[in-house]
Amino acid sequence: MSGAFFNNINMVKDIILAVLIVLILALIWVTIYDSNRFTVSNYKYKNAKIKKPFRAVVVSDLHNKKYGPGNDLLVEAIKKAKPDIMIIAGDIMNGHPQSDLKTAFEFLEKVAPICRIYYGNGNHETRMHLYVEDYGSRYSDFTEKLEALQIHHLVNARETLDEYGVEIIGLELARNHYIRFKPEPIEKGELAGVLGKVDNKKYSIMIAHNPYFFRDYAEYGANLVLSGHVHGGIVRIPIVNKGVLSPNIAFFPKYDAGEFTEGETSMIVSRGLGAHTIPFRMFNPGDLVVIDFEP
């Protein structure tokens, strides 16, 4: 074979190598960029049970992430939305024995004056709640901070917002419902047993951190479920807009991000705002959710 033939092969190899290097560098750039920014997702719901319009901001899975010094960029975005209430759908901190609560507390102190806040536990709060031998006083420190800031902490509890014709229900799932690979199912009647029955005269908003059990939430009778936990699938596939992996190590989770419907129940799954075990996001910026409710 001629030298020209081998030169052409080497040239093709060089081109392929150069393209691969460019793609790798581009993916690294996207990962860094998406891991340090957030977007705003807007939704609107109308229902005859709602007495008057109001706006809610939903924050989920911050995991001690900071957007700007002291989280000022995130706080300013929340202020700009002018919410009537804020709903926190869990995992504001990292529930690891070596993690502290300073970043979470700083964020809560800044947003508490903006509007009323309703806080539902995620699996990281639940972990601190259950394993006192590992976490010491952290959960009690956390609940005391919420009380001091007049944040409504809903742990298998509910509050009625009479002015809006709404009830907010906070579900704390047991740890067995967060098991990796295949969480244990929710037993029939379990939700009603820990939460009581839905008030059908009110528009019910359910804070349920793990979206995996959406059918159970719908069967329970909530009008709207607010979830997070899946982090948008960590890596999202462009064009098809699908998440790749959930925290319980399930590929292509069904409820990864956005809006879902089951019968008369809707669910919004936030992509979350931070990361923990897999500490990056790709094609998947953080997600601040804004919802407008109307009669």
Side-chain angles (χ1 to χ4, degrees), residues 175-249:
R175 285 286 294 160
N176 63 314
H177 298 314
Y178 286 104
I179 295 173
R180 287 182 176 177
F181 304 109
K182 192 174 182 180
E184 291 186 15
I186 290 176
E187 299 294 332
K188 187 173 180 64
E190 181 178 343
L191 296 182
V194 297
L195 297 172
K197 293 183 178 180
V198 169
D199 183 353
N200 290 320
K201 295 180 180 179
K202 300 287 192 301
Y203 183 85
S204 55
I205 300 173
M206 184 178 184
I207 310 170
H209 184 69
N210 189 352
Y212 184 85
F213 301 101
F214 180 37
R215 288 187 176 181
D216 297 281
Y217 307 150
E219 185 178 326
Y220 174 66
N223 293 110
L224 177 65
V225 179
L226 300 176
S227 296
H229 187 56
V230 182
H231 298 186
I234 302 168
V235 174
R236 295 189 70 76
I237 301 173
I239 302 175
V240 297
N241 196 30
K242 185 65 182 172
V244 173
L245 184 67
S246 74
N248 64 311
I249 318 300

Side-chain angles (χ1 to χ4, degrees), residues 10-26:
N10 289 331
M11 185 181 297
V12 170
K13 288 180 178 178
D14 290 341
I15 291 172
I16 292 173
L17 180 60
V19 170
L20 286 175
I21 291 172
V22 170
L23 284 175
I24 291 169
L25 291 175

Side-chain angles (χ1 to χ4, degrees), residues 21-77:
I21 291 172
V22 170
L23 284 175
I24 291 169
L25 291 175
L27 290 175
I28 291 172
W29 182 87
V30 168
T31 300
I32 294 171
Y33 181 56
D34 280 349
S35 296
N36 291 283
R37 72 183 182 104
F38 65 90
T39 60
V40 179
S41 298
N42 293 279
Y43 300 88
K44 182 178 288 187
Y45 290 96
K46 292 184 178 183
N47 191 284
K49 298 177 185 177
I50 298 171
K51 292 182 178 179
K52 70 175 186 178
F54 70 100
R55 170 172 286 185
V57 163
V58 183
V59 171
S60 184
D61 299 277
L62 186 60
H63 289 296
N64 287 339
K65 174 69 178 176
K66 288 185 179 181
Y67 291 98
N71 250 321
D72 285 345
L73 294 177
L74 179 57
V75 173
E76 286 305 311

Side-chain angles (χ1 to χ4, degrees), residues 15-153:
I15 291 172
I16 292 173
L17 180 60
V19 170
L20 286 175
I21 291 172
V22 170
L23 284 175
I24 291 169
L25 291 175
L27 290 175
I28 291 172
W29 182 87
V30 168
T31 300
I32 294 171
Y33 181 56
D34 280 349
S35 296
N36 291 283
R37 72 183 182 104
F38 65 90
T39 60
V40 179
S41 298
N42 293 279
Y43 300 88
K44 182 178 288 187
Y45 290 96
K46 292 184 178 183
N47 191 284
K49 298 177 185 177
I50 298 171
K51 292 182 178 179
K52 70 175 186 178
F54 70 100
R55 170 172 286 185
V57 163
V58 183
V59 171
S60 184
D61 299 277
L62 186 60
H63 289 296
N64 287 339
K65 174 69 178 176
K66 288 185 179 181
Y67 291 98
N71 250 321
D72 285 345
L73 294 177
L74 179 57
V75 173
E76 286 305 311
I78 293 169
K79 287 180 179 178
K80 185 178 179 180
K82 297 181 179 179
D84 297 290
I85 65 171
M86 181 187 302
I87 294 174
I88 298 178
D91 287 4
I92 295 301
M93 74 292 289
N94 283 332
H96 299 296
Q98 64 270 31
S99 297
D100 63 43
L101 299 173
K102 181 180 177 181
T103 301
F105 284 179
E106 183 180 34
F107 171 74
L108 293 173
E109 287 166 357
K110 289 186 175 183
V111 296
I114 297 174
C115 60
R116 282 180 288 172
I117 300 176
Y118 298 88
Y119 195 122
N121 282 358
N123 55 305
H124 283 243
E125 289 90 349
T126 299
R127 191 181 300 164
M128 294 193 303
H129 189 182
L130 293 178
Y131 304 121
V132 178
E133 66 276 12
D134 294 324
Y135 294 95
S137 66
R138 289 187 190 184
Y139 189 74
S140 60
D141 294 342
F142 161 68
T143 57
E144 287 171 9
K145 172 61 77 171
L146 295 187
E147 185 176 358
L149 294 173
Q150 298 184 324
I151 293 173
H152 305 249
H153 192 198

